[in-house]
Structures are given as C-alpha cells and as structure tokens.
C-alpha cells in the first residue's frame, strides 16, 4: 500500500514541479512583453550566442554599438532551442541584459540525442568538428566513428586530434598510432598535440585559422586544456581524471564560443559518455563511412545488409583490404545499436 501511495505522491510532485516551471516560463514571457510594450528595450540588432545556460544565453553583439559586448539574454519560450554559435536578433535591456526575439537561419548544426533521446543541437554554424582523443581516458574507436557519422550526415568536416602525446608509451602507442593512421588513410585530417609540452600547436592553429571549430570528445581528453593553451587568458576550468576509472569528471557543462585573435572561433563543448545515433538511419550510417563510397548499391542484393549475403561489395572490399576490419565492425555495431530504441 505504501508503495502505491509513494508513487502517487511522486507523480504529484513531478506534476507540481512541471506546473511551476510552466508558470515561471509564461511569467517571464509576460515580463518580456511588458518590457517590449513599455519601450524599455533597445532596437533590434544582430548577435551571436556564445554560451547557453538553461533559459538564458550570453549574446555577443555583432554590429554597431554592441559589437563585441556580451549581454545575458532571456529567450521567449516559443523560440526553439538556441545553441552556441547561433546567430540571433536581440534587443538590449536596461542593465546589460536583453531579450532574444528571433533565431536566424543556421547553415548547419551538430545534433545529438540527450539522455532522454530528444534530439538537441550541440553547436551551430560550424566548419570543423574536431574529435579529440587521447591515451587516457581510453579511446573508443566506435565513439569516434559515431562522431564521424554525425559530422558527415550534416556535411561538417570532421578532423581528428590525438592529444596528450606526452603520455604515449610502448603500451598504448601502437594501438593509438594505428588508429590515427587508419583515419588518415580514409582521407581525414589527423593532428597531434600535447598541451603539457605545447606540442603540435602551430599546425593546429593553422587548421583553426579563420574557421569555426568545435572541440568534441570524451570527458577528460583535454578539450578545455587545448582552448587554454591556444587562447592564453581564457582560463577555462580543467578537471583531473578520476583516480579509479581514469575517466574524465565532466568538468565543462556548457558549450562556449571564443574568438581566435586572427579570426575564426573555437567552441569548447562538454565531454560525453556515449553518442546515440538513433536520429540517423541505416543508409546515412553507411554514407558516414567514407571508404564505402562507390560501393553502396554495388551489392548483388539491393537490400544487402552487408553481413553474410553473397556478392556483397563491402565484404569483397573488406577481403581485398580496402576496408579495415575495425571500421567494418564498428559500422555493424552502430547499425545494431539503431534497433535498441
Ligand atoms: N599529460 C597530459 N595531460 C593533459 C593534456 N591535456 C590535458 N591534460 C589533462 O587532462 C585532464 C582533463 O583535461 P580537461 O581539459 O579538463 O578535459 P576536457 O576534455 O575539457 O574534459 P570535460 O570538460 O570533462 O569534457 C586534466 O587533468 C588536464 O590537465 C596533455 O596534453 N597531456
Ligand atoms: Mg572541458
Ligand atoms: Zn553488401
């Protein structure tokens, strides 16, 4: 009996919290409307989201008097998910605050499902998705492949960056260098760096120059550390790996955009545990594997799933050594995981 009661009580609490949240949102919208009608807000202008905190965003003016100045802005509930990198129309408020009134078109966005399976943008208007990996935390090739598939499906160029090269040793180097080479062979740019030894930074800077890049990857691979060495003075929070698991502790909690001194932007993003690709279909996954190009559609059976079917062009390429076993296995792991939801 007590169990049922508890459940009802819990349900009531959840509903109460949701109601309170909804009324807070509509109260905020009302306040915004009042400010608008009272003429308390300045003229509409363009800006860019440089950070995102729940119902508030930091907007940097991109033109006129507000250019380069940051305002903490509210957004109306009816504007769909704004994300770091978005260009917006906003109106400045009386004390360094403001209101976002519209989102301008994105030319692309990196999307991923959140823990509840809802599709959320990570960052928008990007040139490079820089997938950072390192000797520790342990680098999972399948996670890298998931990022690559997500990047390819949005037409954003993925670049791989092996960080913490100072930690390479006889045990981990063979595997990691082989991984790096594998991606290079398929045609991806692969860079190396060490923030401790300040190694590889010149080449990295050349890549980032005048481009908008987002650093992604597991927690603890050194994304924020990279921003700190590339942009002295930013001083982002950096977190040690857990003593027991040698995994990152999820130090960065929100994507933030920074300007490079000679042009271009850098977006630091929170590390992730896993990358679900439920929003992507089987065909798109296959298209996200660059080395399958020209082979898709060449199998004997039109609905070939590239497993045991005779006349499979992908399996032939695998046997000929044109597709690596690791990538082929990774492809099937992603396909199998699509059915899990
Ligand atoms: N040895 C070594 N350690 C590094 C290097 N770069 C970063 N680290 C360390 O790795 C740990 C994690 O660095 P962060 O920059 O916080 O990693 P992150 O990717 O931003 O992690 P999240 O914000 O949790 O996603 C810190 O203890 C850093 O000092 C490197 O090049 N070599
Ligand atoms: Mg970080
Ligand atoms: Zn096939």
């Amino acid at each position: 009996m007590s169990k049922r009661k508890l459940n009802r009580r819990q349900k009531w609490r959840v509903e109460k919290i949701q109601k309170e949240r909804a009324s807070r949102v509509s109260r905020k919208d009302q306040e915004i409307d009042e400010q608008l009608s009272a003429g308390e807000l300045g003229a509409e202008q363009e800006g860019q989201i440089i950070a995102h905190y729940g119902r508030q965003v930091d907007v940097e003016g991109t033109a006129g008097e507000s250019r380069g100045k940051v305002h903490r802005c509210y957004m109306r509930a009816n504007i769909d998910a704004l994300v770091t990198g978005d260009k917006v129309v906003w109106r400045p408020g009386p004390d360094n605050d403001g209101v976002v009134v519209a989102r301008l078109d994105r030319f692309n966005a990196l999307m991923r499902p959140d823990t509840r399976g809802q599709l959320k943008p990570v960052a928008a208007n990007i040139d490079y998705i820089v997938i950072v990996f390192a000797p520790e935390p342990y680098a999972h090739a399948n996670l890298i492949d998931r990022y690559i598939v997500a990047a390819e499906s949005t037409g954003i160029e993925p670049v791989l960056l092996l960080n913490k090269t100072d930690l390479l040793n006889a045990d981990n180097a063979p595997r990691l260098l082989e991984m790096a080479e594998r991606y290079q062979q398929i045609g991806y740019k692969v860079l190396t760096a060490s923030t401790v030894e300040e190694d590889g930074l010149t080449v990295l800077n050349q890549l980032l120059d005048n481009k908008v890049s987002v650093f992604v990857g597991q927690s603890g691979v050194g994304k924020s550390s990279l921003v700190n060495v590339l942009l002295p003075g930013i001083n982002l929070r950096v977190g040690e790996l857990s003593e027991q698991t040698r995994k990152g502790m999820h130090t960065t909690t929100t994507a933030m955009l920074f300007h490079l001194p000679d042009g271009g932007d850098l977006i630091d993003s929170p590390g992730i545990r896993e990358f679900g690709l439920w929003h992507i279909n089987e065909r798109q996954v296959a298209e996200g594997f660059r080395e399958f190009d020209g082979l898709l559609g060449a199998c004997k059976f039109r609905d070939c799933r590239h497993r045991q079917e005779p006349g499979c062009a992908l399996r032939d390429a695998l046997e000929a050594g044109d597709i690596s076993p690791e990538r082929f296995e990774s492809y099937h792991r992603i396909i199998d995981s699509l059915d899990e939801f």
Side-chain angles (χ1 to χ4, degrees):
M1 187 187 90
S2 67
K3 196 168 173 216
R4 218 182 117 206
K5 243 191 194 156
L6 200 71
N7 278 343
R8 215 187 300 148
R9 213 189 149 78
Q10 283 171 332
K11 198 168 155 244
W12 174 80
R13 266 195 62 79
V14 168
E15 277 168 9
K16 184 164 173 274
I17 290 167
Q18 278 169 348
K19 259 190 219 144
E20 280 169 3
R21 193 176 295 150
S23 92
R24 263 204 312 276
V25 167
S26 71
R27 235 181 299 140
K28 191 67 225 175
D29 270 9
Q30 232 169 25
E31 235 178 272
I32 292 171
D33 285 338
E34 278 160 21
Q35 281 184 318
L36 286 170
S37 57
E40 281 173 23
L41 297 173
E44 286 190 354
Q45 46 197 293
E46 285 188 18
Q48 184 177 31
I49 309 283
I50 59 163
H52 190 295
Y53 311 93
R55 291 268 304 143
Q56 291 177 17
V57 285
D58 278 347
V59 177
E60 187 185 273
T62 45
E65 231 175 73
S66 303
R67 193 187 163 86
K69 291 189 191 131
V70 179
H71 287 237
R72 181 64 54 94
C73 289
Y74 289 98
M75 42 198 170
R76 305 185 70 115
N78 63 359
I79 298 183
D80 54 39
L82 290 173
V83 71
T84 301
D86 266 330
K87 305 277 167 66
V88 294
V89 175
W90 65 291
R91 297 181 63 175
D95 4 78
N96 255 355
D97 56 354
V99 173
V100 176
V101 291
R103 172 168 73 72
L104 300 177
D105 280 345
R106 297 174 174 144
F107 68 83
N108 63 35
L110 171 65
M111 308 290 279
R112 65 174 292 239
D114 65 9
T115 44
R116 280 169 294 168
Q118 269 183 321
L119 203 57
K120 291 270 162 69
V122 180
N125 303 318
I126 314 155
D127 296 308
Y128 289 132
I129 295 178
V130 181
I131 306 165
V132 185
F133 64 112
E136 66 171 17
Y138 184 85
H140 296 281
N142 188 246
L143 184 67
I144 296 178
D145 292 335
R146 284 166 182 267
Y147 267 118
I148 291 178
V149 168
E152 295 281 3
S153 80
T154 46
I156 307 170
E157 183 174 344
V159 173
L160 285 94
L161 175 59
L162 172 59
N163 186 33
K164 309 198 192 182
T165 50
D166 55 292
L167 296 182
L168 285 174
N169 58 36
D171 287 335
N172 59 31
R175 176 176 173 267
L176 286 163
L177 297 179
E178 204 176 287
M179 245 165 86
E181 199 182 302
R182 194 151 67 228
Y183 291 107
Q184 216 156 16
Q185 264 173 9
I186 315 166
Y188 292 114
K189 291 191 183 90
V190 180
L191 274 57
T192 56
S194 163
T195 68
V196 171
E197 294 176 344
E198 305 222 341
D199 209 26
L201 303 182
T202 312
V203 181
L204 181 56
N205 261 317
Q206 277 163 5
L207 175 92
L208 303 175
D209 188 35
N210 277 302
K211 295 276 197 280
V212 180
S213 307
V214 56
F215 285 156
V216 299
Q218 288 177 77
S219 174
V221 291
K223 301 177 293 295
S224 303
S225 306
L226 283 161
V227 174
N228 286 345
V229 291
L230 292 165
L231 295 170
I234 294 286
N235 282 324
L236 288 176
R237 217 157 72 81
V238 155
E240 296 277 316
L241 302 192
S242 140
E243 277 299 326
Q244 282 125 34
T245 63
R246 302 312 288 163
K247 283 184 183 169
M249 309 273 259
H250 296 274
T251 310
T252 304
T253 53
T254 183
M256 288 183 119
L257 181 145
F258 306 96
H259 304 302
L260 293 161
D262 299 329
D265 298 323
L266 212 55
I267 302 174
D268 184 25
S269 80
I272 62 159
R273 279 191 192 83
E274 51 185 29
F275 195 144
L277 287 174
W278 312 299
H279 57 298
I280 283 176
N281 64 33
E282 219 170 300
R283 176 92 202 168
Q284 287 171 307
V285 173
E287 283 167 358
F289 280 71
R290 216 178 241 197
E291 64 275 47
F292 296 0
D293 268 9
L295 297 172
L296 299 173
C299 301
K300 183 171 172 203
F301 297 109
R302 254 194 58 205
D303 59 350
C304 185
R305 299 199 69 200
H306 324 303
R307 290 181 204 271
Q308 303 302 334
E309 297 90 338
C312 171
L314 290 188
R315 291 203 79 92
D316 289 348
L318 176 74
E319 263 146 51
D322 297 333
I323 292 175
S324 82
E326 290 85 358
R327 286 269 292 174
F328 196 64
E329 204 252 4
S330 192
Y331 162 76
H332 279 299
R333 260 182 73 186
I334 295 174
I335 294 295
D336 292 342
S337 74
L338 299 183
D339 305 331
E340 279 167 16
F341 253 66

